[in-house]
Amino acid sequence: MKRKIRLQRGEPNNLRLDEFEIKVETGMVVLDAIHLIQATEAPDLAIRWNCKAGKCGSCSAEVNGEPKLTCMTRLSDYPEDQTLTVQPMKTFPLIKDLVTDVSWNYEVNRQITPYQHTEGTGDPIMFQAEVDRVQEFRKCIECFLCQDVCHVLRSHDMKDEFAGPRFMIRTAGLEMHPLDQGERLEHLRDDHGIGLCNITKCCTYACPEHIGITDNAIIPMKERVVDEYYDPLKWLWNMVTGKSN
Amino acid sequence: MPPIDADATKERACTIPDDKGLLPTARTDLWWIQPLAVFMGLGTAVVYMSWAAFQGTNYYYDVEGASYLSPLYSPELFGETEHAWFGVKPTFWPEEILGFAVPWSPAFLILWAPAGFRVTCYYYRGSYYKAFWADPPACAVGEPRNSYWGENSMPLILQNLHRYMLYFAIIFIFILSYDAWLSMWFNGRPFEGDFGIGVGTIVLSLNAILLGGYTFGCHSLRHLIGGYADRIVRKPKVQQKAFDCVSCLNKQHMKWAWFSLFWVCFTDFYVRLCASGIIDDWRII
């Protein structure tokens, strides 16, 4: 069986879509098709990839406008007569063809207060339930599909004010860690703009690791920010009981 | 490796999907169905409940000893039925403001609480931002406006008060559960009248259950009951179990939200049909 695939080609200010017809094999994924095109018709085609197993997060792109890992997206997921269009992630600056510059993400990552271990005080034992809770966020493969689909970054380009879902889960993983003593809520509210997230859950739907980004990370972090900054009863309660989190 | 064929490259070239327009997107699926369905569903519910609230009549059915009170009117703080807590229409309610007559309905005094709970609900927020404000219309679909403030400034910063709406919503769950309990007794108060089950009893009981499932799966409750703590395992067993239960309900929060919204409308509709004499309630037991 043959099917048509369109790939975005070129560099910024010189973009085009090239259409190719390929012979489809059983079980073929979009990245296979791109490799086939690269090997037979477009040797100068640029695509970033590595593991081809959905674990390295390198081959992120947009297939028919939806952010996907190309190595985990089967051609058979789409109607046989439909032409597939593969484009680079829209949120990040384009380098060439399907490759974008995602280095902004690493800069944001460096702004997050790293793990600060409880030295000497407190109980060092972690129970499985506590491990599971933060371990979910460690499944992130940094494909940045959540960043790509987030409309705050994608449509409004508010990279100076909003860190994006990837770094909400990194912060949540550290904040919920039982042995961590770091303080990140002020930074999360003021610099990483958690209030800009309007919980449309696109990041959760796009995540190939099925991390509960919105329900398990962003909303719990929003609630902790509410505790700290917006809830007078909580302040009163903490004052009366002398408790903190 | 094959050489690059310049002519072939020219032949392959086609237009890049339009990145302009009101809702620009390269998506080829039926992405607009979900926001449209939410728009229709929420819009219908809001219109129906507003209409029902303005009626001010036919919200209580007491034929043949039954005691069914519409959830849109419960608790009935002031009103004409035996359910009214503080008697008839309050004197502080103005007859007119600036020459315009002010309508009265017992629902006006209470609907702000469940409405506020749903408006500030994390699930609904995400849904109505998409369906009503196109912010965004759907995932990976462009927006019709450039400016964006999120929930960082007024008025949407008030969404952070969701937990206060939750406190009221929990009180309502107990009241609606009591209404369901009352609906199991005919011709008298509980343990004084006859125990029985009518279709209305089932409708009111399901209403309390679905609203309970929605309210007790709330994200804010999940936080308040244990999510705030890094060491939930060190908390009392009962708190851990409560956290697990709320987390379990929370996984299906969207479904609870929709089923409970539909059912609260249907419950009012059923009571209204019975109270207005269009249908008779069927006493099963």
Side-chain angles (χ1 to χ4, degrees):
Chain A
M1 188 189 78
K2 291 195 169 186
R3 80 177 300 159
K4 289 178 180 171
I5 293 191
R6 290 176 183 164
L7 303 179
Q8 182 172 315
R9 304 292 311 276
E11 295 163 14
N13 303 320
N14 181 26
L15 301 177
R16 64 182 193 277
L17 273 186
D18 284 355
E19 188 169 289
F20 302 90
E21 190 169 70
I22 59 159
K23 187 172 178 241
V24 176
E25 305 286 347
T26 306
M28 212 171 189
V29 295
V30 173
L31 185 59
D32 289 329
I34 292 170
H35 281 163
L36 183 62
I37 291 165
Q38 201 178 38
T40 56
E41 297 184 70
D44 59 338
L45 173 67
I47 168 83
R48 184 189 287 127
W49 69 285
N50 190 10
C51 75
K52 211 175 162 293
K55 290 297 166 195
C56 74
S58 303
C59 63
S60 303
E62 297 188 6
V63 181
N64 280 358
E66 291 184 90
K68 300 270 187 191
L69 286 181
T70 56
C71 72
M72 300 303 287
T73 307
R74 287 181 182 271
L75 296 181
S76 57
D77 291 345
Y78 298 86
E80 288 177 7
D81 58 345
Q82 188 182 63
T83 302
L84 288 188
T85 303
V86 185
Q87 294 179 278
M89 288 193 284
K90 188 184 169 189
T91 298
F92 304 111
L94 179 66
I95 296 175
K96 187 191 175 202
D97 297 343
L98 300 174
V99 179
T100 51
D101 177 4
V102 294
S103 58
W104 169 79
N105 293 288
Y106 302 114
E107 290 165 23
V108 176
N109 196 35
R110 276 194 288 272
Q111 295 167 4
I112 297 173
T113 305
Y115 174 77
Q116 294 187 353
H117 190 66
T118 310
E119 293 290 355
T121 58
D123 185 348
I125 296 172
M126 279 179 71
F127 287 85
Q128 191 59 47
E130 296 167 342
V131 175
D132 291 343
R133 195 174 179 205
V134 292
Q135 193 64 24
E136 179 186 10
F137 310 132
R138 307 281 294 192
K139 289 195 300 179
C140 177
I141 57 174
E142 295 207 314
C143 60
F144 303 126
L145 289 177
C146 58
Q147 304 284 80
D148 181 43
V149 80
C150 174
H151 76 119
V152 184
L153 302 173
R154 182 187 181 92
S155 299
H156 301 290
D157 197 23
M158 298 176 80
K159 295 191 181 77
D160 292 337
E161 297 163 63
F162 186 58
R166 159 56 192 135
F167 301 105
M168 297 294 156
I169 67 168
R170 170 139 200 265
T171 305
L174 291 163
E175 278 291 305
M176 293 177 186
H177 196 297
L179 303 181
D180 171 74
Q181 294 292 297
E183 296 289 341
R184 300 174 190 84
L185 292 182
E186 186 181 354
H187 187 60
L188 190 60
R189 187 187 75 141
D190 297 341
D191 303 315
H192 280 181
I194 192 168
L196 286 169
C197 169
N198 67 347
I199 345 153
T200 49
K201 287 187 109 169
C202 293
C203 50
T204 304
Y205 301 139
C207 180
E209 286 293 310
H210 309 294
I211 300 170
I213 300 174
T214 315
D215 292 318
N216 295 341
I218 296 180
I219 293 175
M221 285 297 101
K222 272 181 175 267
E223 286 293 318
R224 288 188 182 202
V225 168
V226 173
D227 279 350
E228 199 73 21
Y229 296 100
Y230 300 111
D231 185 355
L233 275 184
K234 184 76 179 177
W235 304 334
L236 200 64
W237 174 257
N238 285 348
M239 215 169 4
V240 170
T241 60
K243 282 182 180 174
S244 65
N245 289 345
Chain B
M1 184 180 289
I4 298 168
D5 185 339
D7 292 336
T9 301
K10 279 183 190 168
E11 283 170 20
R12 288 188 198 111
C14 44
T15 314
I16 290 180
D18 197 359
D19 207 19
K20 297 184 179 68
L22 192 64
L23 306 173
T25 184
R27 283 182 67 169
T28 54
D29 59 335
L30 301 175
W31 59 264
W32 46 270
I33 283 185
Q34 191 184 21
L36 181 64
V38 171
F39 182 85
M40 301 290 285
L42 280 184
T44 305
V46 168
V47 168
Y48 175 77
M49 285 194 275
S50 303
W51 173 82
F54 270 90
Q55 297 309 298
T57 56
N58 292 328
Y59 58 85
Y60 181 59
Y61 178 69
D62 58 357
V63 176
E64 294 182 4
S67 178
Y68 301 158
L69 179 64
S70 162
L72 299 185
Y73 285 77
S74 182
E76 188 185 14
L77 299 179
F78 295 92
E80 308 294 334
T81 81
E82 63 186 55
H83 274 269
W85 290 13
F86 307 114
V88 294
K89 179 183 171 184
T91 51
F92 64 75
W93 193 263
E95 292 296 328
E96 61 176 46
I97 293 178
L98 299 173
F100 294 99
V102 178
W104 156 254
S105 166
F108 293 161
L109 295 177
I110 52 136
L111 273 188
W112 59 270
F117 181 57
R118 290 202 186 244
V119 165
T120 58
C121 164
Y122 282 103
Y123 164 68
Y124 280 118
R125 273 145 74 177
S127 293
Y128 67 70
Y129 289 145
K130 280 182 184 168
F132 285 82
W133 294 347
D135 208 6
C139 302
V141 176
E143 296 168 33
R145 65 187 82 81
N146 292 323
S147 59
Y148 180 74
W149 294 281
E151 297 182 336
N152 254 352
S153 52
M154 289 294 282
L156 294 183
I157 200 167
L158 295 177
Q159 304 277 33
N160 287 311
L161 296 178
H162 180 51
R163 59 181 60 176
Y164 287 89
M165 292 293 123
L166 167 72
Y167 304 145
F168 286 110
I170 290 174
I171 295 169
F172 273 62
I173 295 303
F174 286 105
I175 293 169
L176 293 173
S177 301
Y178 183 65
D179 287 344
W181 170 243
L182 286 182
S183 73
M184 295 175 188
W185 297 90
F186 292 76
N187 301 311
R189 308 292 293 173
F191 303 111
E192 293 171 2
D194 310 321
F195 179 81
I197 292 177
V199 172
T201 310
I202 296 170
V203 170
L204 261 70
S205 301
L206 258 179
N207 180 59
I209 291 168
L210 290 170
L211 284 173
Y214 169 59
T215 305
F216 293 119
C218 165
H219 289 87
S220 283
L221 181 62
R222 188 181 180 215
H223 170 77
L224 294 167
I225 211 150
Y228 68 88
D230 293 340
R231 286 190 171 277
I232 182 66
V233 178
R234 311 301 170 95
K235 300 294 179 188
K237 272 280 176 217
V238 65
Q239 189 178 353
Q240 288 178 44
K241 286 288 175 198
F243 177 68
D244 290 344
C245 285
V246 174
S247 297
C248 181
L249 287 170
N250 181 261
K251 283 181 185 165
Q252 303 297 331
H253 198 47
M254 180 185 79
K255 288 178 185 164
W256 287 110
W258 279 108
F259 285 132
S260 62
L261 183 68
F262 170 77
W263 202 258
V264 80
C265 292
F266 177 76
T267 306
D268 176 84
F269 184 62
Y270 181 79
V271 173
R272 196 165 289 284
L273 285 181
C274 293
S276 55
I278 295 173
I279 61 170
D280 291 325
D281 180 60
W282 180 40
R283 176 92 177 264
I284 300 167
I285 298 176

